[in-house]
Amino acid sequence: MTFRPKFITFDCHGTMILFDMAGAARDHYGSQLSPEKMQVFINNFTAYRLDEVLGAWKPYAEVVHNALERTCKRNGIAFDPAVAEDISNRVPTWGPHPDVPEGLAKVAKEFPLVALTNSMNAQIPHNIAKLGAPIAHVFTAESAGAYKPQMQAFEYMFDELGCGPEDVLHVSSSFRYDLMTAHDLGIKNKVWVNRGHEPANPYYGYTEISDISGLAAVVGL
């Protein structure tokens, strides 16, 4: 029997929004680094952003600033705060993956859609407006006082929705930010959108789809 959740909850950046930090980094540093070294730089930048959100909450611009500064130091590149500011300012301009608007519209007819995002309150409306489908609730790291993958972010969402882990289907392209924590919190119904960010990890128990167009079938539509 197909699970009928009270809410379908989503990671936003990366899963629904084309989160192009790699492209932003290439724009600024591609001329200084070989393709191989540029990929190392991007990998480091990704890792440091995750490390920066594991502690006490701070504005996302500070997350980007600190992560980029650490990445530049590790790769022997001069750090310019203006570059970090430019990259942060790009985030609200990014829109959805091509599969997202139609895929969301199909499930939005039957289920309330919820975004749980590592975002700022003033920034996320710009991204949500580009999704082309109704999002019933948006919960940010700023409001939760914690970034994913910290449990506090998910717990804030449950409190605000008045539901528990058993009531949601959580959808994400990331194990490290979402699906590992979702597993630890007892969210049994999970969907991994395989966008190539991370390798599969069946231990965490999920249904795999290649993009959001496959979500309707997961919930029996």
Side-chain angles (χ1 to χ4, degrees), residues 1 18 30 32 36 39 41-42 44 55-56 82 89 107 110 114 116-117 123 139 144 159 167 170 176 184 194 205 207:
M1 183 176 177
L18 180 56
Q32 303 177 54
E36 295 78 15
Q39 189 58 54
F41 187 98
I42 289 168
N44 293 160
N89 289 342
V107 294
E110 298 287 336
V114 178
L116 178 63
T117 173
Q123 172 256 306
F139 302 116
D159 288 344
D167 298 317
H170 191 66
R176 298 185 77 179
D184 292 344
N194 185 356
T207 299

Side-chain angles (χ1 to χ4, degrees), residues 49-172:
R49 290 198 312 276
L50 176 60
D51 190 63
E52 284 290 331
V53 300
L54 296 177
W57 184 86
K58 51 183 173 278
Y60 193 71
E62 190 174 333
V63 170
V64 173
H65 178 110
N66 293 351
L68 187 63
E69 185 172 23
R70 296 167 74 184
T71 301
C72 287
K73 179 180 179 181
R74 183 166 175 177
N75 289 272
I77 299 291
F79 171 67
D80 181 353
V83 173
E85 183 177 4
D86 174 74
I87 293 175
S88 293
N89 289 342
R90 293 187 187 199
V91 177
T93 71
W94 292 333
H97 292 278
D99 55 276
V100 167
E102 185 176 355
L104 288 181
K106 289 180 181 178
V107 294
K109 296 176 183 177
E110 298 287 336
F111 303 97
L113 309 186
V114 178
L116 178 63
T117 173
N118 276 358
S119 186
M120 301 289 291
N121 293 340
Q123 172 256 306
I124 192 61
H126 299 281
N127 300 120
I128 294 295
K130 295 178 177 67
L131 292 177
I135 304 298
H137 305 277
V138 179
F139 302 116
T140 69
E142 182 177 5
S143 293
Y147 288 102
K148 297 177 298 180
Q150 295 184 60
M151 289 183 176
Q152 182 176 328
F154 286 86
E155 290 168 336
Y156 174 80
M157 177 181 72
F158 293 143
D159 288 344
E160 291 296 304
L161 292 176
C163 73
E166 69 280 2
D167 298 317
V168 306
L169 174 69
H170 191 66
V171 182
S172 179

